[in-house]
C-alpha cells in the first residue's frame, strides 16, 4: 500500500485553463494565429508555477520564433521530477477562429525519456479503440474486419458504431469503406486528440477513431490512453515527398506499427484538457461580466482516475495576482 502522493495533473489543469480562458476571447473572430498566441503566452506563464523540470518533446513553433513553446524548451520551475512535456495550446485553431465546436487546450506529461520524439514526422495513421476492443483490431486489417471486431468487443452491431474521421481528401476511400461496412461516421474538420478521447470515453457516442492525423497529436493522445486504457495503433504516414525522404534519411522504418505503450513508454502519465469552443464532449469557456466558467478533463495514469472539473473563475479576485490578464 502507498500513501496518496501528489497528482501533477491537478496542477496541469491550471495550465490548460489559463490557455483556454485566454484563447477563448478569440472565438469566432477569424484570427487563428492570435488565438493560438494568446493560449501559448498564458500556458508559458502558468508553467512557471509548476514544480517540474520539464522539457517539451511535443510543442509548436521553432526556437527562433519564440515564444512558441518549441521542442526542447525547458518549462516549470526546474525543481521536482524530470518530465517530458507535450502541449497543444489550441488543438483546433481553425475551430476556434470560426467558432466551431471541440477546440481544446491540452497538456500531457510523462517521466523524462518516455515520450516518442516524432522528429521530422508530421502525420501518422491511427486506429484508436476503447479498452474492450484493444486486443481485437489490427491496423493492417480491412476496415470492415476491424469494425466487425470492435462491434463484437462492445456487444454491438456494426450499424450501431460511430467512427470519428477527419474530413480530409486523403480519407475519401476510408469514408467509403466505413459506409460500405454499415457503420456511422462523425466527420470533423480538425481535432484528432479530441477524437481519440471521444473513442475512449464510454459516455461519448464515438466508438472508434480511424484515419491519418498529426504525429504530435498521436503522442498527446497516447498520454491519455495510457491513463484510461484503450489502445492506439499507429504508423508514420508522410503526406509529402519531402516528409517521406526526411524520415527515410533519419533511418525510420515506415512499416513499423506503434502502440500507445511505445509512443509513451511509462504508464505514469498525467493529462489535462480544457474546452475552449465547446461541444458535446467537453463544454467550452463561458464568460460573464464578473468571470468565467471552464470545463476540463484530468487523467492520471498511475491510478487510472478520470476527473471532470468545472471551475468558476472570478475576475475581481483572480486579477489581483494573476500574471495572465483574462478580462
Amino acid at each position: 500500500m502507498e500513501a496518496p502522493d501528489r497528482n501533477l495533473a491537478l496542477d496541469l489543469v491550471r495550465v490548460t485553463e489559463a490557455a483556454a480562458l485566454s484563447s477563448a476571447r478569440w472565438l469566432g473572430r477569424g484570427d487563428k494565429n492570435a488565438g493560438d498566441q494568446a493560449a501559448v503566452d498564458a500556458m508559458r506563464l502558468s508553467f512557471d508555477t509548476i514544480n517540474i523540470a520539464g522539457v517539451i518533446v511535443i510543442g509548436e513553433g521553432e526556437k527562433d520564433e519564440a515564444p512558441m513553446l518549441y521542442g526542447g524548451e525547458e518549462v516549470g520551475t526546474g525543481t521536482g521530477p524530470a518530465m517530458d512535456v507535450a502541449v497543444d495550446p489550441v488543438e483546433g485553431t481553425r475551430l476556434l477562429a470560426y467558432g466551431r465546436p471541440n477546440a481544446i487546450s491540452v497538456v500531457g506529461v510523462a517521466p523524462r525519456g518516455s515520450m516518442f520524439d516524432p522528429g521530422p514526422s508530421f502525420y501518422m495513421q491511427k486506429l484508436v479503440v476503447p479498452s474492450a476492443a484493444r486486443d481485437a483490431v489490427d491496423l493492417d486489417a480491412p476496415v470492415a474486419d476491424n469494425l466487425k471486431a470492435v462491434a463484437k468487443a462492445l456487444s454491438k452491431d456494426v450499424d450501431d458504431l460511430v467512427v470519428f474521421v477527419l474530413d480530409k481528401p486523403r480519407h475519401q476511400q476510408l469514408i467509403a469503406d466505413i459506409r460500405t461496412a454499415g457503420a456511422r461516421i462523425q466527420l470533423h474538420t480538425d481535432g484528432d486528440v479530441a477524437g481519440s478521447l471521444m473513442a475512449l470515453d464510454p459516455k461519448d457516442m464515438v466508438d472508434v477513431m480511424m484515419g491519418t492525423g498529426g504525429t504530435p497529436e498521436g503522442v498527446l493522445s497516447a498520454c491519455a490512453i495510457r491513463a484510461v486504457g484503450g489502445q492506439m495503433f499507429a504508423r508514420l504516414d508522410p503526406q509529402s515527398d519531402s516528409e517521406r525522404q526526411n524520415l527515410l534519411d533519419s533511418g525510420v522504418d515506415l512499416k513499423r506499427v506503434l502502440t500507445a505503450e511505445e509512443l509513451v513508454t511509462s504508464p505514469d502519465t498525467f493529462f489535462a484538457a480544457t474546452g475552449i469552443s465547446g461541444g458535446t464532449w467537453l463544454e467550452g469557456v463561458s464568460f460573464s461580466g464578473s468571470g468565467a466558467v471552464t470545463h476540463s478533463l484530468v487523467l492520471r495514469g498511475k491510478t487510472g482516475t478520470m476527473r471532470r472539473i468545472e471551475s468558476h473563475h472570478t475576475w475581481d479576485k483572480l486579477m489581483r495576482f494573476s500574471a495572465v490578464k483574462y478580462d
Side-chain angles (χ1 to χ4, degrees), residues 16 20 30 35 39 49 58 70 83 86-87 92 127 144 166-167 173 181 196 211 215 225 280 282 287:
T16 57
T49 69
I58 304 297
Y70 56 85
M83 308 296 282
V87 301
L127 172 60
L166 291 176
D167 190 7
Q173 187 58 54
S196 296
T215 304
I225 293 169
T280 56
L282 197 58
F287 289 106

Side-chain angles (χ1 to χ4, degrees), residues 55-120:
V55 174
I56 291 182
V57 176
I58 304 297
E60 58 176 47
E62 300 296 335
K63 188 171 183 178
D64 58 2
E65 295 177 1
M68 284 301 287
L69 290 168
Y70 56 85
E73 180 177 353
E74 296 181 359
V75 294
T77 63
T79 61
M83 308 296 282
D84 285 345
V85 179
V87 301
D88 199 343
V90 179
E91 200 227 1
T93 53
R94 284 180 293 186
L95 301 177
L96 172 63
Y98 298 115
R100 295 170 182 160
N102 295 324
I104 59 176
S105 179
V106 189
V107 171
V109 170
R112 180 73 56 82
S114 60
M115 277 189 192
F116 177 79
D117 187 342

Side-chain angles (χ1 to χ4, degrees), residues 16-296:
T16 57
E17 285 176 348
L21 285 165
S22 295
S23 60
R25 293 293 190 186
W26 294 93
L27 177 70
R29 295 171 64 181
D31 191 341
K32 68 176 185 177
N33 292 329
D36 195 36
Q37 188 67 62
V40 168
D41 293 342
M43 188 170 273
R44 172 176 277 108
L45 285 170
S46 297
F47 261 122
D48 289 343
T49 69
I50 307 299
N51 287 326
I52 60 170
V55 174
I56 291 182
V57 176
I58 304 297
E60 58 176 47
E62 300 296 335
K63 188 171 183 178
D64 58 2
E65 295 177 1
M68 284 301 287
L69 290 168
Y70 56 85
E73 180 177 353
E74 296 181 359
V75 294
T77 63
T79 61
M83 308 296 282
D84 285 345
V85 179
V87 301
D88 199 343
V90 179
E91 200 227 1
T93 53
R94 284 180 293 186
L95 301 177
L96 172 63
Y98 298 115
R100 295 170 182 160
N102 295 324
I104 59 176
S105 179
V106 189
V107 171
V109 170
R112 180 73 56 82
S114 60
M115 277 189 192
F116 177 79
D117 187 342
S121 173
F122 299 111
Y123 292 94
M124 61 167 42
Q125 180 188 4
K126 305 170 192 174
L127 172 60
V128 181
V129 295
S131 295
R134 61 171 291 125
D135 298 319
V137 295
D138 183 338
L139 191 63
D140 292 318
V143 169
D145 289 356
N146 276 329
L147 292 176
K148 289 177 183 177
V150 171
K152 182 178 180 181
L154 299 181
S155 299
K156 295 185 176 184
D157 295 327
V158 171
D159 60 5
D160 294 330
L161 298 179
V162 175
V163 185
F164 180 105
V165 181
L166 291 176
D167 190 7
K168 307 292 184 183
R170 62 179 176 264
H171 290 150
Q172 287 183 359
Q173 187 58 54
L174 172 63
I175 291 168
D177 290 343
I178 294 170
R179 288 172 174 163
T180 298
R184 299 173 294 159
I185 301 175
Q186 272 194 14
L187 288 174
H188 293 254
T189 58
D190 300 276
D192 60 328
V193 173
S196 296
L197 293 168
M198 290 177 195
L200 301 175
D201 189 345
K203 293 184 178 180
D204 196 273
M205 68 184 298
V206 170
D207 299 291
V208 56
M209 180 191 135
M210 291 181 163
T212 293
T215 304
E217 289 82 354
V219 179
L220 259 167
S221 299
C223 286
I225 293 169
R226 294 305 312 267
V228 298
Q231 185 56 280
M232 171 189 287
F233 296 98
R235 179 188 291 117
L236 301 185
D237 188 14
Q239 296 297 297
S240 68
D241 291 339
S242 60
E243 183 184 358
R244 177 178 294 275
Q245 192 58 53
N246 287 336
L247 288 169
L248 293 174
D249 291 344
S250 299
V252 172
D253 180 3
L254 295 179
K255 296 181 180 179
R256 180 185 175 190
V257 175
L258 298 160
T259 64
E261 290 79 10
E262 292 170 296
L263 292 171
V264 181
T265 58
S266 172
D268 193 14
T269 60
F270 303 91
F271 180 92
T274 300
I276 303 173
S277 61
T280 56
W281 174 69
L282 197 58
E283 294 182 50
V285 178
S286 175
F287 289 106
S288 67
S290 59
V293 179
T294 57
H295 301 267
S296 303

